[in-house]
Amino acid sequence: MSVRTQSSEEPAETVHRAGFACFVGRPNAGKSTLTNALVGQKVAITSNRPQTTRHTVRGIVHREEAQLILVDTPGLHKPRTLLGERLNDVVRTTWAEVDVIGFCLPANEKLGPGDRFIAKELAGIRKTPKVAIVTKTDLVDGKTLAEQLIAIDRLGEELGITWAEIVPVSATANNQVDLLADLLTPLLPEGPALYPEGDLTDEPEQVMVAELIREAALEGVRDELPHSIAVVVEEMLPREDRPADKPLLDIHANVFIERPSQKGIIIGPKGKRLKDVGIKSRKQIEALLGTPVFLDLHVKVAKDWQRDPKQLRRLGF
């Protein structure tokens, strides 16, 4: 088993490579946090609740010798609703189209049925190189990490997966993140950059704004709510009659929930929670877009939207 840690060797190769990588793993395995650490800016929604990423967000890592485009998929899971099934289809389609797959396994949790479920699916995808990424290494000691690395090596042997690399990283402590990019690069096809230098993601701004609002709305809510929240940005318009040096962007967005009883949870006593969601997400949106923002939020009920194909389409799934 070869486990990679940082070394000072310079790669001899100078060809330019560009391609797509995706991080897979059960919900909450650290995929989005890792995407953000590699790109160096917040592009994927991160939350300590499982199942928060719904859109395929691409983060773009620009390096002198390569361009690595990260596709962040929802966590693969055993579906219980139509939304769940659609999310799983998105994952499998993505896997078939990328150049390399990074399988994220948290260092602080023993391998479980969810990891095996995904590993079995991965074993069926023969041609794509697979890198095992042990995330959250800052949360464990050396002995626990070593045990996890051995367990992952054995899992590969058992299912017939040859790991191209096994890499321990900590995205929050920024430990071995650059090394991971170094190891993913040679697995990409040779070719010119696919995106302009300044681009960090190809997600439409409206989708990213909606994700930031949803992330703020998820924080501190009761456990039954995360899957029930969808956010749609209805419009983003520069306010008229503003001086050029004091622009203001008006954003109108709807927060959709499934049942009237959930409205109170989102709005909070005397509207305090919704106000907090607005303040928190507005700061993030202003940082993302680089302009002052007026954010107008409304909470609406879309009954059982996760099970209704028509509503799923309307909400962008």
Side-chain angles (χ1 to χ4, degrees):
M1 172 177 76
S2 96
V3 176
R4 290 303 199 111
T5 52
Q6 209 87 42
S7 94
S8 56
E9 281 174 39
E10 284 294 313
E13 200 177 340
T14 53
V15 298
H16 190 277
R17 295 177 178 273
F20 293 83
C22 81
F23 295 144
V24 305
R26 58 191 159 78
N28 212 19
K31 302 181 294 293
S32 295
T33 310
L34 191 55
T35 298
N36 294 337
L38 278 160
V39 176
Q41 176 173 324
K42 189 164 186 173
V43 292
I45 177 176
T46 55
S47 160
N48 59 2
R49 305 188 163 281
Q51 215 39 55
T52 49
T53 308
R54 288 199 181 127
H55 296 276
T56 302
V57 178
R58 291 174 176 80
I60 302 161
V61 183
H62 300 274
R63 313 187 94 203
E64 215 169 298
E65 77 290 6
Q67 188 177 71
L68 175 66
I69 298 132
L70 301 168
V71 186
D72 189 31
T73 58
L76 191 77
H77 60 296
K78 291 190 173 157
R80 289 191 299 275
T81 61
L82 180 60
L83 173 65
E85 280 171 37
R86 287 211 183 157
L87 293 177
N88 279 359
D89 289 344
V90 168
V91 177
R92 291 195 189 93
T93 309
T94 305
W95 291 4
E97 291 168 354
V98 296
D99 301 298
V100 56
I101 297 172
F103 183 19
C104 293
L105 300 126
N108 62 331
E109 295 172 36
K110 282 194 156 59
L111 299 189
D115 299 312
R116 300 187 72 82
F117 174 70
I118 293 168
K120 279 182 183 155
E121 293 268 341
L122 283 179
I125 297 171
R126 292 272 171 224
K127 288 180 184 165
T128 317
K130 297 158 199 76
V131 173
I133 304 166
V134 186
T135 58
K136 309 187 185 186
T137 56
D138 55 307
L139 301 179
V140 298
D141 57 21
K143 181 173 175 286
T144 309
L145 178 57
E147 285 167 1
Q148 187 72 320
L149 294 168
I150 292 164
I152 290 165
D153 192 43
R154 284 193 184 138
L155 179 67
E157 278 175 18
E158 186 192 318
L159 297 174
I161 300 171
T162 306
W163 303 118
E165 305 281 356
I166 298 179
V167 199
V169 302
S170 166
T172 49
N174 200 22
N175 187 10
Q176 302 224 122
V177 173
D178 283 342
L179 173 71
L180 176 62
D182 292 342
L183 296 174
L184 292 172
T185 297
L187 301 171
L188 303 174
E190 290 181 24
L194 302 168
Y195 287 88
E197 180 67 38
D199 288 7
L200 294 174
T201 173
D202 75 348
E203 274 289 274
E205 283 178 342
Q206 265 177 250
V207 174
M208 292 180 74
V209 166
E211 288 288 81
L212 288 172
I213 295 168
R214 202 164 81 88
E215 182 179 47
L218 280 176
E219 249 175 54
V221 211
R222 274 195 261 152
D223 288 344
E224 71 270 18
L225 225 53
H227 305 6
S228 306
I229 297 176
V231 176
V232 175
V233 173
E234 297 295 336
E235 59 177 16
M236 284 171 48
L237 295 168
R239 187 169 297 183
E240 290 176 12
D241 309 327
R242 294 284 291 196
D245 59 340
K246 288 193 175 169
L248 184 67
L249 187 66
D250 284 317
I251 299 178
H252 300 279
N254 291 324
V255 178
F256 288 98
I257 45 176
E258 293 196 295
R259 294 188 293 283
S261 61
Q262 297 170 336
K263 220 169 176 175
I265 300 172
I266 291 286
I267 294 171
K270 295 188 176 163
K272 186 177 179 318
R273 229 189 137 265
L274 189 63
K275 194 178 172 188
D276 289 347
V277 169
I279 291 167
K280 185 159 194 263
S281 55
R282 196 187 75 235
K283 279 186 190 147
Q284 302 252 20
I285 293 162
E286 289 180 338
L288 173 76
L289 302 178
T291 181
V293 161
F294 172 79
L295 182 59
D296 178 37
L297 287 182
H298 292 274
V299 179
K300 297 193 169 185
V301 179
K303 201 166 172 337
D304 291 333
W305 64 265
Q306 291 190 69
R307 297 168 193 281
D308 177 348
K310 210 155 74 192
Q311 302 223 55
L312 279 173
R313 272 198 302 279
R314 188 166 70 96
L315 297 175
F317 298 110

